[in-house]
Amino acid sequence: MSEGNAEKPSLATGEQVSSSQVRLQFTTRHPDISLPQNTGPILVSTQLRRYALSTLVNTLLQSEKPIPLEFLINGTFLRTSIDEFLTANGISAETTLSVEYVRAIIPPLYLASYEHDDWVSSVDVLSSTSSAASWAGIGASTATGQERILSGSYDGLLRVWNMSSQIMATSPSAVDGGHTASVKSAKFMSPTQLVSSGTDRTVRLWKYTEAADKLSAQIQPYLELYGHKASVDSLAVHLPSNRILSASADHSVGIWSAKKSDSPAAPTNLLPSAASRSSKRRKLATTMNTPQRGPLALLKHHIAPVSSTIFAPNDSTVAYSTAWDHTLRTWDLPTQSLVDTRTTSHPLLSLTALPDLNLLAAGTSARHITLIDPRASATTISAVTLRGHINAVVSLARDPDSSYGLVSGSHDGTCRIWDVRSTKSEAEGVVGESMYTISRESAKEERKVGGEGVKVFGIVWDRDVGIVSAGEDKRVQINRGKGVVGKMDGVGST
């Protein structure tokens, strides 16, 4: 049957159901596209697939403009005919199926690329809906088009960009108080405060000030934090508590205060003056008189480089970390104690939270993403495995408009968008497949093998700006699409 020729729906009021038909009760969580309350079960052919069901529901909604829809049965996206789904899941066609429909994700459109002089390791966004603006209580004052993008680069510099791809400000060079080696992570802690870290083993705080005309800005160092003995590769920030978390290749997780007055003295053996007393260049870098402080604590239970750390979404006194030692660890920050350890099968390279599902997503060196329930009551380590990348998954960010969505960045040169409901059962457990793949625009100029030259290093998903990724191609890339960001669950055609 052609999907465009869906059978006219008939209310199943005692009709005999043939072996090739099934009753569907359609539901949705979106009031603007819900069917009338008196809409009963609909009798349809079991040969129908997603497109035909979307046509059917749009007919029932009497939509002036068709709304692309996806369908979930028992919480799983329909990716086959109804008949194949029933057979695969051992469901009788005589059962009235409850089918939830949601707006389909539309492929994210490419918007722009911001070119750098060197590899771009990290990216963050300041917008009306970003954490940094919300914490500061000025989210609504960030007008559309006035968003800012922060990038950290292997050339040791931070850059703040406007939405017209113009550089608002660049951080000082090493001799003027900046990083002395590659930047690996950069975050907005507030609209006027930046935090960065890098292979120079430091965490640095910066004051960010924009001119009144919003055409230029300054990035000025105001605190240097010392304590790690190797590269500091990932940061998490929380303005309400003035806390910063760091993940380091020295196997430790650092806890820091963003306030100079709350921070202990810096370990003298780790300061630049101690490391290179004979270096005039290093001495010059310290003449800026930027205050230097140490960590509140270093958490040292990992036995390999720590790749990522985050605050628990609903409790800033709890942190999670992932490492090359295959483990996800849970920490109680006030007592600086290890609470729980989950051991997986592969090195874990990235981490984000899906708070509404009580799950953490961890990217692995084995090219997949594993979803982990960190609660003590969880009986299994891996709840779902997301497969599709062909190289390490080194960056993750959750969808700001969906409890179920996330995006991943990989060394294979792509970002993939996932809905954790889009799964199927296989011998090794529940496996998810990506909804869409975002390629690097630079790779389209010349075909790259296995991500060579276009590795993705960092990613953030912002409701206002879109999916912003950073990579080996020396570019920050922005992708956006209706239904991917913005009012994905908002008002549509009726």
Side-chain angles (χ1 to χ4, degrees):
M1 174 185 291
S2 168
E3 288 190 333
N5 298 320
E7 295 181 8
K8 290 183 179 180
S10 59
L11 293 180
T13 54
E15 299 175 53
Q16 182 66 37
V17 180
S18 73
S19 59
S20 61
Q21 292 179 309
V22 66
R23 291 184 179 93
L24 304 182
Q25 180 69 59
F26 290 108
T27 66
T28 187
R29 303 182 193 189
H30 310 306
D32 59 299
I33 57 170
S34 61
L35 294 169
Q37 289 186 347
N38 62 352
T39 304
I42 309 296
L43 189 64
V44 303
S45 167
T46 57
Q47 298 306 308
L48 298 190
R49 295 173 178 262
R50 184 204 67 81
Y51 181 82
L53 290 177
S54 185
T55 302
L56 173 58
V57 172
N58 273 279
T59 300
L60 294 170
L61 290 170
Q62 299 180 332
S63 305
E64 294 179 10
K65 183 179 180 182
I67 305 165
L69 299 171
E70 295 271 9
F71 298 85
L72 296 109
I73 304 175
N74 295 336
T76 300
F77 278 103
L78 181 66
R79 289 287 176 260
T80 61
S81 68
I82 297 173
D83 183 63
E84 290 172 288
F85 183 91
L86 296 176
T87 302
N89 291 275
I91 301 173
S92 169
E94 295 183 4
T95 303
T96 297
L97 286 180
S98 179
V99 179
E100 179 184 357
Y101 59 93
V102 298
R103 281 187 174 84
I105 295 177
I106 297 171
L109 302 174
Y110 168 72
L111 285 187
S113 292
Y114 297 178
E115 297 193 11
H116 292 63
D117 297 328
D118 206 338
W119 295 357
V120 189
S121 58
S122 182
V123 68
D124 199 15
V125 171
L126 178 69
S127 74
S128 65
T129 57
S130 66
S131 294
S134 300
W135 287 330
I138 63 168
S141 66
T142 305
T144 301
Q146 293 298 311
E147 299 89 356
R148 300 290 182 253
I149 292 176
L150 169 65
S151 62
S153 173
Y154 274 69
D155 62 8
L157 300 177
L158 305 178
R159 294 172 176 85
V160 176
W161 308 73
N162 64 20
M163 296 309 295
S164 300
S165 73
Q166 297 169 322
I167 297 176
M168 300 280 295
T170 302
S171 64
S173 64
V175 294
D176 293 320
H179 280 285
T180 59
S182 300
V183 174
K184 295 299 295 290
S185 185
K187 300 279 187 185
F188 279 105
M189 191 160 188
S190 78
T192 58
Q193 190 172 6
L194 314 178
V195 186
S196 62
S197 66
T199 57
D200 62 3
R201 308 177 181 182
T202 67
V203 176
R204 295 173 187 255
L205 283 77
W206 312 81
K207 183 178 180 181
Y208 175 68
T209 311
E210 291 195 1
D213 59 10
K214 303 289 185 182
L215 297 177
S216 63
Q218 278 190 315
I219 300 174
Q220 298 169 300
Y222 79 85
L223 190 60
E224 298 175 358
L225 299 174
Y226 293 85
H228 284 301
K229 297 180 179 179
S231 177
V232 186
D233 297 327
S234 177
L235 293 171
V237 298
H238 186 252
L239 181 64
S241 63
N242 281 299
R243 291 293 182 264
I244 301 165
L245 298 176
S246 58
S248 174
D250 67 6
H251 307 182
S252 73
V253 175
I255 309 174
W256 314 81
S257 173
K259 286 188 172 182
K260 179 178 62 174
S261 58
D262 293 344
S263 301
T268 55
N269 62 312
L270 297 178
L271 294 177
S273 55
S276 330
R277 293 188 184 278
S278 62
S279 171
K280 291 183 181 179
R281 180 182 176 85
R282 294 280 180 154
K283 283 186 177 181
L284 182 61
T286 64
T287 60
M288 295 302 296
N289 294 321
T290 304
Q292 299 167 332
R293 294 292 186 270
L296 297 174
L298 293 175
L299 310 178
K300 298 184 175 181
H301 285 275
H302 282 292
I303 57 173
V306 184
S307 56
S308 187
T309 184
I310 61 173
F311 289 94
N314 302 316
D315 186 352
S316 62
T317 68
V318 174
Y320 303 108
S321 60
T322 51
W324 286 78
D325 61 10
H326 301 198
T327 67
L328 165 75
R329 298 182 190 261
T330 303
W331 308 90
D332 180 72
L333 298 180
T335 61
Q336 303 168 13
S337 58
L338 177 65
V339 174
D340 185 65
T341 299
R342 300 296 168 94
T343 304
T344 66
S345 303
H346 305 282
L348 303 179
L349 310 182
S350 50
L351 182 65
T352 196
L354 302 175
D356 293 343
L357 305 181
N358 293 309
L359 292 174
L360 299 175
T364 75
S365 64
R367 308 181 298 280
H368 63 260
I369 301 160
T370 184
L371 301 184
I372 301 169
D373 186 340
R375 294 174 296 178
S377 59
T379 56
T380 58
I381 293 175
S382 177
V384 180
T385 302
L386 306 179
R387 299 188 184 279
H389 282 296
I390 58 173
N391 208 328
V393 182
V394 297
S395 187
L396 294 166
R398 72 181 187 91
D399 182 345
D401 284 305
S402 169
S403 299
Y404 304 94
L406 70 155
V407 65
S408 56
S410 168
H411 282 179
D412 64 12
T414 70
C415 301
R416 287 178 179 256
I417 297 173
W418 311 81
D419 187 311
V420 299
R421 297 169 294 184
S422 181
T423 60
K424 59 185 178 181
S425 295
E426 295 187 355
E428 65 267 36
V430 181
V431 176
E433 298 176 339
S434 62
M435 308 286 285
Y436 292 107
T437 300
I438 302 172
S439 299
R440 303 301 285 176
E441 287 297 308
S442 59
K444 296 179 180 179
E445 304 161 7
E446 175 184 351
R447 184 166 179 81
K448 304 289 185 178
V449 179
E452 182 183 356
V454 290
K455 293 183 180 71
V456 176
F457 294 140
I459 197 162
V460 64
W461 195 340
D462 181 80
R463 180 177 287 128
D464 296 338
V465 175
I467 297 171
V468 187
S469 54
E472 188 184 16
D473 58 2
K474 305 179 183 179
R475 300 182 189 186
V476 166
Q477 179 171 312
I478 305 175
N479 290 80
R480 177 167 53 187
K482 184 180 178 182
V484 176
V485 295
K487 304 296 184 181
M488 190 172 95
D489 295 336
V491 177
S493 302
T494 56

